[in-house]
Amino acid sequence: MEGYTTSVTPTSSGSSDRSSSHPTVILSPCAACKILRRRCVEKCILAPYFPPTEPLKFTIAHRVFGASNIIKLLQELPEDQRADAMNSMVYEAHARLRDPIYGCTGAICHLQKQISDLQAELAKAQAEILNMQCQNANLCEQLSCKSQILATQNNIVEENYLMAQSSQLPYNYNDNSAFSFDDQANLGVSWDPLWT
């Protein structure tokens, strides 16, 4: 019994009737047949897709596409594609009620615009990140150059200091090789020592 939904209602235990000892089965037509006010047959083509608990689903699809078009579409499709087709029809019907002119196309265009806007924002953010990374790399390079310059300057200062230290060593007065005056040879005069 595909076309009907069954619900079991237990009977009261106080009843002595033999038929009341068994649960009663209430058959309910599918939402489509209920709305169309027709008898729901056992193999109703609409029953699997429009259960009695969801009458609004069929009402919306019926309002946009019409029952005969829905039935015709279901009959033309293989069974494994029917559920997806009904979900799509119901979605399109909802979209048509919200936007009678564009329907799903309007929603798709709106979402595509949002995607392109977000992609533009993402590209802008990525460009800013790249710019900041380049600035950071330039700063690091400048800092390393400055540290190398400072290190070179420190080495030069140290070398100058060491050279200055070595030039300030006490002079050895016994070493006359640096300042040898051979005046006698130059002037032809002999000098007597002043101190005796």
Side-chain angles (χ1 to χ4, degrees):
M1 293 172 76
E2 281 182 28
Y4 291 95
T5 303
T6 59
S7 75
V8 179
T9 310
T11 57
S12 63
S13 58
S15 175
S16 61
D17 189 8
R18 188 174 235 212
S19 63
S20 65
S21 62
H22 300 288
T24 54
V25 177
I26 301 169
L27 299 176
S28 175
C30 69
C33 292
K34 193 182 241 182
I35 289 167
L36 295 174
R37 295 182 182 164
R38 67 179 197 181
R39 186 171 175 266
C40 193
V41 294
E42 186 176 328
K43 293 189 178 186
C44 177
I45 196 167
L46 298 170
Y49 315 108
F50 302 107
T53 56
E54 299 176 12
L56 187 61
K57 190 175 174 182
F58 180 75
T59 303
I60 291 170
H62 173 56
R63 188 179 300 165
V64 173
F65 296 106
S68 60
N69 289 330
I70 294 171
I71 292 169
K72 189 188 301 180
L73 177 74
L74 283 173
Q75 289 170 345
E76 292 173 357
L77 288 173
E79 279 192 45
D80 62 330
Q81 295 178 359
R82 290 178 181 176
D84 289 336
M86 286 304 100
N87 288 335
S88 296
M89 286 185 86
V90 170
Y91 184 82
E92 177 66 30
H94 276 287
R96 284 281 171 194
L97 291 177
R98 282 191 305 258
D99 185 357
I101 297 171
Y102 296 109
C104 282
T105 307
I108 290 169
C109 289
H110 178 71
L111 292 173
Q112 285 176 338
K113 184 179 181 325
Q114 282 183 338
I115 288 170
S116 66
D117 291 345
L118 291 173
Q119 285 174 337
E121 283 182 37
L122 179 63
K124 184 178 176 183
Q126 287 173 335
E128 288 177 7
I129 289 170
L130 186 63
N131 188 17
M132 288 180 182
Q133 287 174 341
C134 289
Q135 287 177 356
N136 190 19
N138 287 340
L139 285 175
C140 289
E141 188 176 319
Q142 288 175 358
L143 288 175
S144 69
C145 286
K146 283 185 179 182
S147 65
Q148 287 176 354
I149 291 170
L150 286 174
T152 305
Q153 287 175 348
N154 285 341
N155 288 340
I156 292 171
V157 167
E158 283 180 25
E159 287 175 9
N160 288 340
Y161 176 75
L162 291 174
M163 288 176 63
Q165 287 293 327
S166 66
S167 68
Q168 289 180 359
L169 289 176
Y171 176 72
N172 188 357
Y173 291 101
N174 295 327
D175 185 18
N176 292 330
S177 62
F179 300 103
S180 67
F181 294 107
D182 196 5
D183 291 334
Q184 293 173 359
N186 291 333
L187 299 174
V189 178
S190 74
W191 291 90
D192 290 331
L194 294 174
W195 295 277
T196 53

